[in-house]
């Protein structure tokens, strides 16, 4: 078990999560500067193979009033790598994309006038599977709220839907693989969020 003394561990969240058996023993939770409780661990093995389209989680994106504080915590304290940043014309940090492996981002955060979750994203693998997911959603009368499109940072293909509780859910494919390249800086604007068309701007 790593030295977690620098982390703000939330033992109640940790116990609740492990009892749910979604992860193996040793999973732990940390509380970030916005009060988000984030759990780290290894996924438990599933009993029976799943049927239908597969969509493992790809990344989580947060909404925050202080992107720099979120970057300082996850990159500075937890060791995430920074892949890309989006800056406004005055140089203010508007968005940060961070990674815990070689995928472009496992965690991102957008500047907004609120704190919490912006969206969560699931891996489709390739473009053809984005098509299959779109057909699957259409068969259940679920309309796309955004996309298909291609993000600038990460270069990934995407579609978005909204669930009955108004949570935004992304299905994403072909996310960039990063191997120790310099951090890229993008301008704050629609084209950075969608190279193909309109974007949903958070600020």
């Amino acid at each position: 078990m790593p030295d977690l003394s620098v982390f703000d561990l939330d033992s109640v969240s940790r116990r609740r999560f492990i009892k749910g058996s979604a992860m193996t023993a040793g999973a732990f939770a940390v509380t970030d500067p916005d009060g988000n409780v984030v759990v780290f661990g290894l996924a438990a093995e599933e009993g029976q193979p799943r049927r239908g389209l597969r969509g493992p989680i790809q990344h989580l994106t947060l909404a925050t009033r202080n992107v720099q504080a979120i970057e300082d915590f996850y990159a500075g304290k937890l060791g995430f790598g920074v892949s890309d940043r989006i800056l406004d014309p005055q140089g203010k940090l508007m968005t940060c994309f961070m990674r815990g492996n070689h995928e472009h981002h496992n965690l991102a955060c957008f500047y907004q006038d609120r704190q919490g979750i912006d969206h969560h994203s699931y891996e489709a693998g390739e473009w053809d599977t984005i098509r299959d997911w779109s057909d699957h959603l259409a068969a259940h009368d679920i309309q796309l709220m955004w996309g298909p499109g291609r993000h600038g940072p990460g270069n990934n293909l995407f579609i978005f839907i909204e669930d009955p509780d108004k949570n935004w859910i992304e299905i994403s494919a072909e996310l960039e693989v990063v191997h120790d390249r310099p951090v890229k800086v993008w301008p704050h604007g629609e084209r950075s969020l969608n190279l193909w068309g309109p974007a949903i701007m958070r600020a």
Side-chain angles (χ1 to χ4, degrees):
M1 192 75 171
D3 179 10
L4 306 178
S5 60
V6 297
F7 299 160
D8 178 14
L9 294 178
D10 186 322
S11 60
V12 174
S13 294
R14 178 182 174 184
R15 287 196 298 271
R16 183 173 66 245
F17 199 88
I18 291 175
K19 284 181 180 178
S21 72
M23 290 189 179
T24 59
F28 64 93
V30 297
T31 303
D32 72 16
D34 282 354
N36 300 303
V37 177
V38 180
V39 180
F40 294 87
L42 299 176
E45 291 186 13
E46 297 181 354
Q48 297 292 329
R50 296 193 180 198
R51 298 174 59 188
L53 292 167
R54 187 169 182 271
I57 192 163
Q58 184 190 78
H59 66 265
L60 173 70
T61 299
L62 303 173
T64 182
R65 295 183 178 92
N66 190 338
V67 178
Q68 190 62 63
I70 295 296
E71 178 185 320
D72 290 345
F73 179 79
Y74 286 99
K77 289 189 174 182
L78 299 190
F80 278 63
V82 176
S83 298
D84 290 9
R85 297 185 180 100
I86 293 179
L87 306 180
D88 74 4
Q90 289 72 46
K92 180 179 179 178
L93 181 59
M94 302 297 288
T95 310
C96 181
F97 298 87
M98 294 170 278
R99 65 187 187 275
N101 54 28
H102 288 301
E103 292 188 342
H104 179 271
H105 59 285
N106 314 117
L107 181 73
C109 56
F110 281 84
Y111 172 76
Q112 297 181 51
D113 190 23
R114 67 182 186 91
Q115 296 175 177
I117 294 176
D118 179 87
H119 70 271
H120 40 101
S121 180
Y122 298 86
E123 176 66 52
E126 57 188 7
W127 174 243
D128 285 353
T129 314
I130 291 276
R131 175 204 61 198
D132 295 343
W133 269 107
S134 298
D135 287 341
H136 174 76
L137 294 167
H140 291 274
D141 199 27
I142 300 172
Q143 294 187 352
L144 304 184
M145 61 172 282
W146 186 21
R150 184 187 287 277
H151 294 313
N155 200 42
N156 48 314
L157 305 158
F158 69 86
I159 56 173
F160 271 75
I161 62 171
E162 189 175 66
D163 75 11
D165 291 329
K166 305 300 181 182
N167 299 300
W168 291 2
I169 299 170
E170 179 183 27
I171 299 172
S172 169
E174 302 180 16
L175 183 65
E176 178 189 357
V177 175
V178 176
H179 291 281
D180 301 322
R181 66 157 171 76
V183 177
K184 291 182 181 178
V185 176
W186 298 76
H188 180 58
E190 286 197 72
R191 187 162 172 78
S192 291
L193 295 187
N194 187 7
L195 296 172
W196 291 355
I200 297 178
M201 301 298 292
R202 278 62 161 196

